[in-house]
Amino acid sequence: MQIQDLPYPDPGVPDARSGPRFLWWLFRNQLGGQLKSLSWGLLHFLSVSALPFCVGVAVQAVVDRSGSQLALAGGLLVLCSAGNAIGDTFLHRTAITNWITAAARVQQLLARKAAHLGSALTRRVAAGEVVAVSTGDVEKIGWFVEAWSRFTAAALAVVAVCVGLLVYQPALGVVVAVGLPVLAVAVLPLLPRATRRADFQREKAGRATELASDTVAGLRVLRGIGGEELFLDRYRRASQEVRHAAVRSARMWSLISAIQVLLPGLLLIAVVWYGVHLARQGRVTVGELVTAYSSIMILTYPLRHFEEIAMAYSFSRPSARRAARVLSLERVTDTAGSRDGSEVPSGDLYDPATGLLAPSGRLTAVVCGDPDAAGRLAERLGGHPSMEGTAVLLGGVPLDELPRDCARTAVLVQDKDPVLLSGTLRELLDVPRSGDVAAAEALSAAQCDDVLAALVQGSLGAEDPMDARITERGRSLSGGQRQRLALARSLVTDPEVLVLDEPTSAVDSHTEARIAQGVRDLRAGRTTVMFTSSPLLLDRADRVVLVHDGEVAAVGVHRELVNAEPRYRAVVTRETDEEAALNARKDGPGTGSALNDVLKELEEIEESA
């Protein structure tokens, strides 16, 4: 796999049982790239390691006044230098390719998992942690995958040098062969502590990222209630904790680096002292002593990669563990599908768990006293529930037996807090659709005229509203404007069943009345389910269902239910228990001043709209 071939046609199925298993899975899937990098790494490190032998031959040739040996040493130096340059160039190229392709594979896996889980992802994993995994953790995982081939090549080069010294000069070679393994394992006792400190630093950094994400997302609300400084102080404290953790981690790694410098120096002193002693006895030549000395000097370079792989593994292991945790998440129900998904089913939408029925081609409003219960029920109707239960039926077909893409085509759920992606309005509305609903019709039904004017005004050189740019998450727009654009995006898809969770909670009542009529007209003949407690939307619905304690408690139309069902009236009119009891005693059963106020407000808004 080359960089120009990205993204992967299929990133594969990861082994997400643990962090190390996930790293091993990545390595196995990049075996070809690892072997290329290892080959070039061996050429590079062996060429570098052979330089001391060439120097030793050259020095001995001068001592022996041998021109042929000196010429041979020069030729070997040229050959080693060429191998060093070529090997280093292509080692860097292949290693970076391994890094980027590994990171790209992980990012594709995370994106696929996010699309698979949908809104359930951020309820099971904090949004800040998801961001941290898909950014910083991906780079650390790629670093380990990239460093592994260099470390393997360096280790093989060290073994080759030890063997070469044993053959070339056994007396000095034994000292080097004994000393180098000691250098390699000397830092192992420090690695667990360094790893724990790196884990602690990463945990603190993830917490700070999560806190920053939450603060930025709710900045407008925080300013409104005067809580901005409070959250900023929390983030300052969190960032200081990250800094202290990073300093403690850096101290440990600096100690490891110091040991990696100190021990080779001590080995060099021992070899020189012992080598001079042997030279004075005539047991080694000057050239052999220079070769041994130069070999140890050169070996400090490949030995550095032992420290690098230790650091890469220490930082990538917790990152891989977090990535594996996200990738191991599964939907409560598997909608891989046991049925043929070539034809999207149609008909009534029925939830056996609650008894909720949304007749085909009609607008059904659902009232729940608990907003969280409403959100969970909306997910169930979309075929991706957060808890196990009986499957929802569409036209008698269980949604969890359909392929996931087919189920999502049949039933589209708009969350309570939909997200607007940055880009132009044209790109926002460029979604899979039936083609029967034009973008202008959807925008009109969602009452987006003032939104279009605001977008054009805020975009330089955009005369066509469709070319106006939307900032990240639509932050330049008000909550009501973002909500209406998201509604228009849902309407333009024209699904068989559209489920809307509180689609007008952030708009004023007059706009809400016009949206209710626009949605009703545009979705005529299509099945629409709206979770709402707004009397304006409820009054436009063909059928209103009250869900209480997880079951359907009443079915009818708005004006009938508001008169006949106290629980329904309490939710719609926001009556407290004391107010309901007082109104019942004052006006008799089934009536109340709050009810009269609601009906009067409906009539006034209808007349003005």
Side-chain angles (χ1 to χ4, degrees), residues 363-368 500 502-504 512-513 515-517 520 529-547 554 556-562 567-574 598-599 602 606:
L363 173 58
T364 301
V366 182
V367 176
C368 288
L500 304 172
E502 294 290 353
T504 59
E512 189 176 33
I515 289 175
Q517 190 60 46
R520 179 182 176 86
V529 181
M530 285 194 297
F531 287 83
T532 182
S533 60
S534 167
L536 294 169
L537 295 180
L538 295 170
D539 196 47
R540 295 299 197 284
D542 298 318
R543 193 169 185 264
V544 179
V545 179
L546 172 65
V547 177
V557 295
H558 170 61
R559 294 178 187 252
E560 293 176 355
L561 291 175
V562 82
R567 291 172 297 183
Y568 178 84
R569 182 170 60 250
V571 175
V572 173
T573 63
R574 278 75 169 177
V598 170
L599 295 176
L602 279 174
E606 287 176 354

Side-chain angles (χ1 to χ4, degrees), residues 465-533:
M466 298 299 290
D467 295 327
R469 295 201 63 81
I470 300 172
T471 57
E472 180 188 2
R473 299 177 68 91
R475 298 194 188 282
S476 61
L477 303 173
S478 68
Q481 290 173 329
R482 290 196 300 269
Q483 200 170 55
R484 281 178 280 165
L485 282 180
L487 177 59
R489 180 179 58 187
S490 298
L491 292 174
V492 81
T493 60
D494 190 34
E496 182 68 27
V497 179
L498 177 60
V499 179
L500 304 172
D501 189 3
E502 294 290 353
T504 59
S505 59
V507 301
D508 61 86
S509 57
H510 293 278
T511 305
E512 189 176 33
R514 292 192 292 269
I515 289 175
Q517 190 60 46
V519 171
R520 179 182 176 86
D521 294 341
L522 190 64
R523 293 288 299 171
R526 289 293 211 181
T527 306
T528 307
V529 181
M530 285 194 297
F531 287 83
T532 182
S533 60

